[in-house]
Amino acid sequence: ARLPGMSLDALTPVFAQRPRSLWRRLRESLDALLLYFPVVLMGLLAQFLIQICFGALAFWLDQSNGLFSAWFALWAVLGGYLVPQALLPPSVQVLSVYLPFRATLGAPIELLLGHESPWNILSYQGGWLLLLGGMAWGLWNAGVRRYGAFGA
């Protein structure tokens, strides 16, 4: 059935029109399918720990919004939010591998696209979670000690 001046393809979402390549990749790699949601949750946890670190900076700074805005701008570019990481210059791609931006946003996408081994992604995210958790814990404890030192 056709609507005047429009095909039914225009009414179906893009992912429903051409799912073959994505679903073929997912079927080929059961690991990727099973690990997708844990990888997404680990990315959300990494972002949460980063925000705890910025929140803990409030013990020392009057305003941490500017720092977080700068962080967000870097995250948007280097994490693949605005520009796919594959389109970044090679030197910037290498830099983004060593920063936590990829662990929050790029890792789940790379897993779905099959660009990286699921176990490499999990170990990468796990390492960043340990580091970010340690930083958040250290900043929070140092901030609470500093705050308590002023007699509050």
Side-chain angles (χ1 to χ4, degrees):
R2 288 180 53 95
L3 298 174
M6 161 187 274
S7 74
L8 286 179
D9 285 343
L11 298 176
T12 58
V14 173
F15 67 87
Q17 289 181 21
R18 309 218 189 275
R20 289 185 183 91
S21 64
L22 175 63
W23 293 116
R24 185 178 318 127
R25 285 190 190 117
L26 288 175
R27 274 185 304 201
E28 289 172 0
S29 175
L30 185 58
D31 290 343
L33 180 61
L34 293 175
L35 295 175
Y36 176 71
F37 292 106
V39 166
V40 169
L41 290 175
M42 289 172 74
L44 290 172
L45 181 59
Q47 190 65 30
F48 178 70
L49 290 171
I50 289 166
Q51 290 179 2
I52 287 175
C53 289
F54 278 105
L57 289 177
F59 286 115
W60 292 276
L61 303 174
D62 291 334
Q63 291 276 333
S64 61
N65 291 340
L67 285 174
F68 187 76
S69 295
W71 170 268
F72 181 78
L74 286 172
W75 173 82
V77 174
L78 296 177
Y81 182 70
L82 292 177
V83 179
Q85 288 181 337
L87 296 180
L88 295 173
S91 59
V92 177
Q93 285 181 13
V94 169
L95 177 67
S96 72
V97 167
Y98 295 107
L99 296 173
F101 305 113
R102 185 174 147 236
T104 60
L105 180 66
I109 295 168
E110 289 177 10
L111 180 68
L112 274 182
L113 295 176
H115 291 171
E116 190 71 44
S117 159
W119 306 110
N120 286 347
I121 290 174
L122 283 173
S123 63
Y124 176 79
Q125 281 186 312
W128 272 111
L129 285 176
L130 289 173
L131 183 66
L132 291 169
M135 284 175 51
W137 182 79
L139 282 170
W140 182 260
N141 284 332
V144 167
R145 278 194 309 273
R146 182 179 187 276
Y147 185 74
F150 288 116

